[in-house]
Amino acid sequence: MTEKAAAIAVKKANGRYYTPAWIVGEMLDMAGYAGPSILGRHIMENSCGDGAFLAEIVRRYCVAAAESGKSKAACRADLQEFIHGLEIDAAEHAKCVGSVSAVAAEYGVFGVDWDIGCADALAVTKYNGKMDFVVGNPPYVRVHNLSNYSGVKRFGFAQSGMTDLFIVFYEIGLAMLNEGGTLCYINPSSIFNSVAGAAARRHFVTERLLTKVADLKHYQPFKATTYTTIMTLSKRNRKDELEYYEYNAPTGRLAFMSNIRYDSAYIDGSYYFADNASLSEVKRILRRNPPRGVFDVKNGFATLCDSFFIGDLGFSDYTIPIVKASTGRVSACFFPYDKDGRPLPYEALTKKPQIKNHYERHAGALRARSLESPDVWHVFGRSQGIKDVYKHKYAINTLIRGKGDIKLTPCDPGVGVYGGLYILTEESYDVLKQMLFSPGFSAYVKALGKYKSGGYYTFSSKDLLKYLDYKHSERNGYCNEQQCILDRT
Ligand SMILES: C[S@@+](CC[C@H](N)C(=O)[O-])C[C@H]1O[C@@H](n2cnc3c(N)ncnc32)[C@H](O)[C@@H]1O
């Protein structure tokens, strides 16, 4: 491994993405670490890297100390007593100590014996119950990249799903807080709905800890393909609502949006954030259980080799028209199946010389796919969508920014769909259009919070089915006792 590759591997294993200064400032403000009240209060950054938070913390402390008339010697003693850090990587740890020393020196404070340890924060318990503030950007390391898997799995927040190290940092951070302490972290917004985050989400709400959420939405402060959120938890909190903020692109800052009650944002174990009216609607959509069977929503074909099966094939035997759900474009698809969706034998198909030739030219790519049925290499990679070819359906795309991006394409029996979803229903095109081209549908998709690059949002077949079932029952007045109670709450 080259030196550069080794450095990248260490960076990945330690989940190292550094926080920009403006976010550090916003987070310390959100936590309440500002002004003269910070004097004599303990603060910990437990995965401090090269000291993004600690540098600003030291700056704020030195300013507050000077303004309150503290001597340089008293300020040095305070920095040693009240500012704490942990970092597992020796090189980053050394950079951090250098960085905070440089900030203190700007304020004439020298020779600080910092309480910044080079250690695995998961194994450190000496700060438990003592911190007024815990802040930071904990490491994002998925379970399959963790070197210390068993050390992580012993934590209560790490029991379900494919856990991530940052979730465990919530548990150790909360343990470090004293009875009135406040924690503020920035981390992936997957914590809103991942299986791995379920125990943490429940704990934050049932213990009334969650006080502020800032959803950075499509803004990605780190050069990683992850969307992020800032969450503040306070052990002093007694309310069952939180302050909700969003990243505001024109100002490049966080903007307060609204106060949201826990029971509006916490729906069936996941967190949803939007305006209160959209959240009520989302809750009704997700909770309603209307009579099923009017709609079905499924994924289109997955050939796993579109260049072989779809496009300008040069022959027409065994082909069907196919709609690309993401664009509505129609092309030709080689469909090596009978009317019941059973694969046709290779020998039968290749009696046609052009088809034989086509297979021979692409055999390598076809065999290299990760196939659902490894022995049948000459058909689609997955069987999804195949049995519905001879039904009437509507293709629909899954990436939208608003209703203007929705592509709903009617498909006659005999037409295939790929590159998105399709809806099976007896309802008319006009009825479907009324349901989907409404502001309600885009608001619902946005509130699901599944961000994609370019300002887009996505949704799954299940999400769409829930919406259609809800809209259908709303139009037809279905309401069982439980749902009516829910609608009134
Ligand atoms: C996402 S970076 C954040 C660094 C810094 N807090 C910032 O915001 O710029 C996470 C840091 O956690 C460190 N780290 C990873 N695992 C750790 C552990 N078990 N204990 C302490 N630090 C750890 C990494 O080396 C990395 O510097």
Side-chain angles (χ1 to χ4, degrees):
M1 204 189 274
T2 64
E3 219 170 275
K4 194 173 167 203
I8 292 171
V10 171
K11 181 173 165 157
K12 195 170 172 191
N14 286 336
R16 205 179 292 155
Y17 301 105
Y18 292 140
T19 315
W22 78 267
I23 290 187
V24 170
E26 293 266 10
M27 287 176 63
L28 292 176
D29 290 348
M30 278 180 119
Y33 193 82
S37 65
I38 67 175
L39 293 175
R41 315 283 299 281
H42 289 278
I43 186 162
M44 158 64 80
E45 186 187 2
N46 52 17
S47 62
C48 58
D50 63 1
F53 285 81
L54 286 178
E56 176 61 15
I57 287 165
V58 169
R59 185 176 306 285
R60 290 187 180 202
Y61 205 96
C62 290
V63 169
E67 283 176 1
S68 77
K70 277 197 185 239
S71 68
K72 309 271 188 246
C75 181
R76 179 173 56 237
D78 274 8
L79 294 177
Q80 292 173 173
E81 185 177 355
F82 297 112
I83 313 278
H84 314 273
L86 289 168
E87 167 58 45
I88 203 165
D89 184 279
E92 296 304 303
H93 172 262
K95 278 195 234 164
C96 177
V97 171
S99 161
V100 287
S101 300
V103 175
E106 282 177 39
Y107 294 89
V109 180
F110 298 94
V112 183
D113 181 14
W114 298 102
D115 181 29
I116 300 174
C118 184
D120 177 352
L122 271 50
V124 176
T125 52
K126 68 177 178 177
Y127 299 101
N128 284 4
K130 300 197 174 125
M131 295 296 110
D132 295 292
F133 299 94
V134 171
V135 293
N137 174 0
Y140 321 152
V141 186
R142 299 239 171 86
V143 70
H144 53 266
N145 292 323
L146 282 172
S147 49
N148 178 19
Y149 180 76
S150 52
V152 166
K153 270 301 200 184
R154 72 193 160 85
F155 286 92
F157 285 177
Q159 297 311 306
S160 48
M162 300 273 284
T163 203
D164 194 304
L165 196 50
F166 80 84
I167 294 173
V168 168
F169 266 73
Y170 271 99
E171 190 163 333
I172 62 165
L174 285 171
M176 287 177 179
L177 291 180
N178 61 27
E179 278 183 5
T182 300
L183 175 150
C184 186
Y185 281 163
I186 180 167
N187 52 256
S189 43
S190 59
I191 195 164
F192 293 164
N193 49 34
S194 67
V195 174
R201 287 192 296 276
R202 189 171 51 247
H203 184 77
F204 300 164
V205 167
T206 52
E207 297 301 314
R208 284 207 177 90
L209 294 167
L210 191 59
T211 51
K212 295 177 188 175
V213 172
D215 189 353
L216 300 193
K217 301 190 74 106
H218 287 95
Y219 171 71
Q220 292 175 284
F222 311 114
K223 283 195 192 78
T225 52
T226 182
Y227 297 97
T228 38
T229 183
I230 297 166
M231 306 218 296
T232 306
L233 309 176
S234 165
K235 287 203 175 169
R236 212 176 322 138
N237 182 49
R238 295 284 169 269
K239 290 195 260 179
D240 53 11
E241 64 174 33
L242 57 92
E243 292 173 18
Y244 174 57
Y245 299 76
E246 280 183 3
Y247 175 72
N248 180 279
T251 62
R253 314 298 298 187
L254 299 180
F256 173 75
M257 305 304 287
S258 56
N259 289 313
I260 301 179
R261 286 173 53 87
Y262 288 169
D263 58 5
S264 298
Y266 186 51
I267 308 171
D268 297 340
S270 292
Y271 289 164
Y272 297 86
F273 298 103
D275 58 87
N276 279 296
S278 299
L279 285 178
S280 311
E281 179 85 338
V282 167
K283 192 171 182 175
R284 282 195 290 269
I285 295 167
L286 296 177
R287 293 250 175 111
R288 186 173 285 256
N289 236 341
R292 291 291 321 280
V294 180
F295 299 98
D296 211 345
V297 182
K298 299 188 184 176
N299 284 292
F301 294 163
T303 71
L304 307 189
C305 192
D306 286 354
S307 58
F308 173 82
F309 289 99
I310 298 167
D312 199 359
L313 301 166
F315 57 87
S316 57
D317 295 299
Y318 303 106
T319 64
I320 57 169
I322 190 166
V323 167
K324 187 169 193 177
S326 55
T327 59
R329 215 167 61 95
V330 183
S331 50
C333 173
F334 175 49
F335 189 66
Y337 296 91
D338 68 15
K339 289 262 172 199
D340 297 317
R342 282 185 299 250
L344 293 167
Y346 179 74
E347 294 69 30
L349 295 162
T350 49
K351 280 193 179 128
K352 301 277 174 191
Q354 280 169 309
I355 295 181
K356 186 161 192 253
N357 190 16
H358 193 53
Y359 268 121
E360 281 170 359
R361 275 187 291 123
H362 293 86
L366 289 173
R367 288 182 189 277
R369 294 171 298 166
S370 159
L371 297 164
E372 194 175 273
S373 314
D375 301 338
V376 198
W377 65 274
H378 70 289
V379 297
F380 295 175
R382 302 274 180 276
S383 56
Q384 63 195 48
I386 292 167
K387 290 210 187 302
D388 293 326
V389 163
Y390 295 98
K391 295 178 184 162
H392 184 274
K393 55 202 160 292
Y394 299 89
I396 182 164
N397 56 325
T398 55
L399 279 183
I400 64 167
R401 286 165 305 192
K403 63 178 183 165
D405 294 313
I406 299 169
K407 298 242 169 337
L408 183 69
T409 315
C411 305
D412 287 333
V415 176
V417 175
Y418 78 120
L421 304 174
Y422 60 89
I423 302 165
L424 295 167
T425 183
E426 300 283 307
E427 288 288 0
S428 71
Y429 183 47
D430 283 344
V431 167
L432 267 185
K433 268 196 342 199
Q434 275 170 29
M435 291 176 171
L436 296 171
F437 288 81
S438 63
F441 181 62
S442 349
Y444 165 66
V445 171
K446 286 180 186 174
L448 294 175
K450 299 179 179 176
Y451 303 117
K452 290 282 167 188
S453 63
Y456 285 89
Y457 297 83
T458 190
F459 53 91
S460 68
S461 54
K462 242 193 208 161
D463 298 330
L464 177 55
L465 181 59
K466 286 243 175 217
Y467 184 82
L468 293 171
D469 277 345
Y470 167 69
K471 278 286 154 191
H472 183 265
S473 63
E474 196 183 52
R475 286 171 71 91
N476 293 282
Y478 300 141
C479 183
N480 64 30
E481 203 179 320
Q482 195 193 354
Q483 284 150 2
C484 288
I485 292 167
L486 183 73
D487 286 355
R488 285 197 297 270
T489 56

